[in-house]
Amino acid sequence: MRSRFSFASHTTKALVRRDFFLTLKGWGLYLSAFLSLLASSFILKSHLGAIKENNILISSDPLNFPLFISLVIVSFYLAIISVISISREKDQGTLEVLFYGPVNSSSYLVAKYIKDMLLYLVMVCFFFVYFTAVSSLTNLSFSWSLVKAIFLSIFLVSCIVSFSLFISSLTSKMRTSIIWLVGILLAFLAIQIFHTMLVSLEEEALSSSLLYLRKTLEMVSRGTGWISPFSYLNRGMQSIAIGSMRLYGMSILYSLVYSFILLVSSVLILEAKGVRG
Amino acid sequence: MRKFSLFFTLILALLLGALTSPSLAQASPFREQLVYSLNLFNGKTYAPGFCPRSEDTIYLIANENNAVSPRITLVYFWPITARYMAGFKTLNEEIEGTLELLKDGKVIRSLEKEDNVVFYPEGFFAENSRMYLDEEAHAFLQKYEKATKDYYKRIDEYYEKMREYRDAFNKFLEDLSKRREAGEELSRAQVEAEMPRQPGSPEGVRFYTTPLAKNYILNLPQGTYQIRLRARDGTIVQDSQKNLVAFVQRRGGTIGYEITPGNRWTMKESSNDPSKTIYAAGKNTLYLRPFLQDEYNDLYYKKLLDPQNEGTPERWMWVHTTPIENVLVVLLSKGKLLESIKRAPYYVKQIPGPELGYEILEYSEEEFAGRSPSFEGHKLEVSSVSGKGNYEFHLEKREGEVLKGSEREILFVKKENTNLLHVISIFPLIVGLVVFVQRKRSIS
């Protein structure tokens, strides 16, 4: 057990450095950041249009929703590159070669996890620059709760990255991994978005079929509440909305526990299945 | 072919049967049922209601007096609203017994009926009331009865004074005409001075107390319980078992605002959360009404209002409990005091024309005699022009005494920069280009 989870820090460092700089030198990171910010810009533009039309809008954090959209796009990108890199290394036999050396399952997966988290920190820098610019251009407030939301997003990404590592440890083919990952994440996201949309509508505004759908989604959301990485972000965002530092801290803790459980499970699965899958 | 014809005939018969069956829109027949008649505190006042057999849980606010009373009545389903209705006017039979309160399956209290009244300090139509029990209930009822009796006495006296006034006035008119006929010249001031004075009508009773009622009173700490009624013969009354949820607010006693924008006065906005910012575009007039408010779970609160309501456990709602009066709204810009605004009544005057179609005017009894104000509020005139920039406002009870949690910010969005949003999203690509160029250079 000890050897299974022991990893040489210099090996992990070397793997992180290799993967991190390789991704940093490619175009994917910048392109996904651009696409995520472009989506945010569209949302913000329609938001400003609504203020212009109604002359008034009362909102606590108008930048939080655009941040959420950017975050979803970026986290999908990180999850997919993580899955691709593991599956490709499995397919091409690189993983097997690495495992003949000082690399073991835990150091390999931890390195992948750290690399993705570092890439997200680069994205966080982009978010700070972008939202500061948006705030000064539009006068939409760059509030303390936006800073808290950005900080919280690091833990959501941690959940998604560990989830993607878990999926890639379960599957051996790249295509299967991507299909499973994207399918599950999209399903989780769709459940959360539709549920939030229906919950935000007044009961009187819903037809009976939508009411049944809302109830069904309520039950499904309860079921996926501890499995879906997005529900961890949702919990954190709610704690920000009510200004509860205790709940905010708890949601961070839950995310860390979730990530830890999935990482350990991934290591165990990879160990059990072997490098050839 | 025969099978098909048989199938077709069967379908046709089913369709015809469905068409000739009684309409679904018809009300279902009355059924005798044990229901709980409720008089529950909703955060500001007491609202009556009932819990039919179809609902297994009663929701109430913890640590407040709430009255429940099991009754036999006629219940029917009203399809238009999809709700069960109670015909208390036709049948309203009280059930005698002891109400048992259970927690985790154990009886923790046995309740007998208690005398109670609901006291409305600002009158029946005002939104605040309290429930008083036993001796206090009797005291408040007596207070109201005495006030009413005194009022009727004052009314009698008033009618007597009015009769005397009319007689005196008629006599005054007769004397006046005689004096004028006699050639006496009287000035207007002289006539007004000698004219009898009309007595003022007596002031009514401002508060109200409901008639004495006898109910089981539930004042419980937060938690889930069960109730059931034990009849005098020791048996449990059928259908009397209900779950009980006593809940508290998530956040309470904070200050919220109802905001009436001048450009669409019928569509009110709320600024309930102190963290919320008011975003505006261009010149606008805002009319603010501050309230004390509590935040409750949507499902619990809606079920409290009517156990047949639906609700969403994930949602939270603010309930405005008490309007805050006798305060000033203090408007500031960059920390500098601009204005201290009092609450005032306003009248919405409909005007013909292609624009708004109405005008909001300050109400005065002289100007709008016989009409009541459309709304009341603190009027804030805000504008992004004139170099004033963003605004803040808060409530002050007295000068310098800011009410905590009343602070809000008004920010003006810069509409002219919206097109630049897409431009700034390009900057990660620029960073990528810089990295790419550097890499190319290092390779070469």
Side-chain angles (χ1 to χ4, degrees), chain B residues 163-419:
Chain B
R163 196 184 56 75
E164 284 170 9
Y165 162 72
R166 276 194 295 270
D167 291 346
F169 195 76
N170 288 337
K171 193 171 175 300
F172 168 74
L173 288 177
E174 275 173 28
D175 287 350
L176 198 68
S177 71
K178 276 180 193 168
R179 281 161 75 183
R180 275 188 178 145
E181 276 168 18
E184 192 178 342
E185 288 213 355
L186 292 158
S187 67
R188 186 189 170 95
Q190 213 176 340
V191 172
E192 278 180 4
E194 287 177 22
M195 193 189 290
R197 296 276 168 262
Q198 187 176 349
S201 57
E203 202 182 327
V205 184
R206 279 181 176 247
F207 60 90
Y208 174 70
T209 307
T210 58
L212 198 69
K214 259 180 127 52
N215 303 104
Y216 298 104
I217 303 300
L218 296 166
N219 188 331
L220 306 169
Q222 185 185 8
T224 51
Y225 306 85
Q226 295 81 41
I227 49 167
R228 65 186 183 200
L229 188 71
R230 191 173 287 281
R232 296 283 176 236
D233 61 4
T235 56
I236 303 293
V237 177
Q238 198 187 352
D239 295 332
S240 67
Q241 293 95 330
K242 293 275 177 208
N243 295 320
L244 208 69
V245 175
F247 63 93
V248 291
Q249 74 252 24
R250 181 164 70 162
R251 287 181 281 177
T254 61
I255 294 170
Y257 294 90
E258 185 188 85
I259 300 174
T260 309
N263 62 341
R264 47 189 175 95
W265 80 279
T266 48
M267 291 171 79
K268 292 180 171 59
E269 301 273 351
S270 291
S271 170
N272 297 324
D273 207 307
S275 67
K276 285 196 173 174
T277 306
I278 300 162
Y279 289 99
K283 196 180 173 192
N284 209 343
T285 307
L286 306 174
Y287 300 87
L288 308 176
R289 282 185 73 197
F291 283 92
L292 279 178
Q293 57 178 8
D294 296 327
E295 192 186 30
Y296 291 103
N297 182 279
D298 182 80
L299 172 83
Y300 291 0
Y301 195 78
K302 282 185 176 163
K303 288 274 186 191
L304 160 85
L305 297 180
D306 183 348
Q308 294 180 76
N309 274 346
E310 294 284 335
T312 314
E314 293 91 342
R315 262 175 71 169
W316 294 83
M317 62 188 287
W318 287 100
V319 178
H320 289 168
T321 52
T322 323
I324 304 173
E325 284 163 4
N326 305 320
V327 286
L328 291 171
V329 169
V330 176
L331 184 69
L332 305 118
S333 179
K334 292 170 189 164
K336 201 176 145 191
L337 175 76
L338 292 179
E339 216 180 336
S340 292
I341 307 148
K342 279 184 183 171
R343 187 187 172 109
Y346 292 92
Y347 183 77
V348 181
K349 191 180 169 189
Q350 301 296 324
I351 47 166
E355 283 185 17
L356 278 178
Y358 63 85
E359 195 181 358
I360 301 176
L361 303 163
E362 196 159 332
Y363 173 86
S364 66
E365 274 186 17
E366 300 81 51
E367 210 175 327
F368 302 99
R371 281 176 279 184
S372 46
S374 308
F375 64 87
E376 284 189 17
H378 301 261
K379 184 182 176 182
L380 253 76
E381 279 187 277
V382 287
S383 165
S384 59
V385 289
S386 74
K388 284 176 184 169
N390 301 328
Y391 298 88
E392 305 107 60
F393 65 86
H394 60 247
L395 297 179
E396 282 186 10
K397 192 88 182 161
R398 265 170 261 128
E399 203 183 315
E401 195 186 314
V402 181
L403 294 188
K404 202 182 159 200
S406 67
E407 302 89 348
R408 295 290 190 281
E409 207 176 2
I410 304 174
L411 297 182
F412 283 92
V413 291
K414 295 173 190 165
K415 297 170 284 183
E416 62 279 7
N417 293 336
T418 44
N419 288 326

Side-chain angles (χ1 to χ4, degrees), chain B residues 95-110:
Chain B
I95 310 171
E96 290 306 319
T98 307
L99 191 79
E100 290 184 342
L101 182 73
L102 297 91
K103 181 128 181 110
D104 303 323
K106 285 180 190 165
V107 178
I108 54 165
R109 233 184 276 175
S110 292

Side-chain angles (χ1 to χ4, degrees), chain B residues 144-155 205:
Chain B
Y144 178 67
E145 283 172 348
K146 187 179 176 305
T148 318
K149 207 171 155 186
D150 290 348
Y151 172 67
Y152 285 132
K153 202 174 158 189
R154 286 199 303 275
I155 285 279
V205 184

Side-chain angles (χ1 to χ4, degrees), chain A residues 43-60:
Chain A
I43 290 163
L44 281 165
K45 203 176 171 186
S46 76
H47 205 66
L48 288 165
I51 300 176
K52 201 172 154 185
E53 207 170 285
N54 299 321
N55 241 8
I56 185 170
L57 176 100
I58 298 165
S59 170
S60 50

Side-chain angles (χ1 to χ4, degrees), chain B residues 62-77:
Chain B
N63 308 315
E64 294 287 347
N65 287 331
N66 293 286
V68 300
S69 178
R71 281 161 193 277
I72 298 285
T73 188
L74 293 176
V75 174
Y76 61 98
F77 186 71

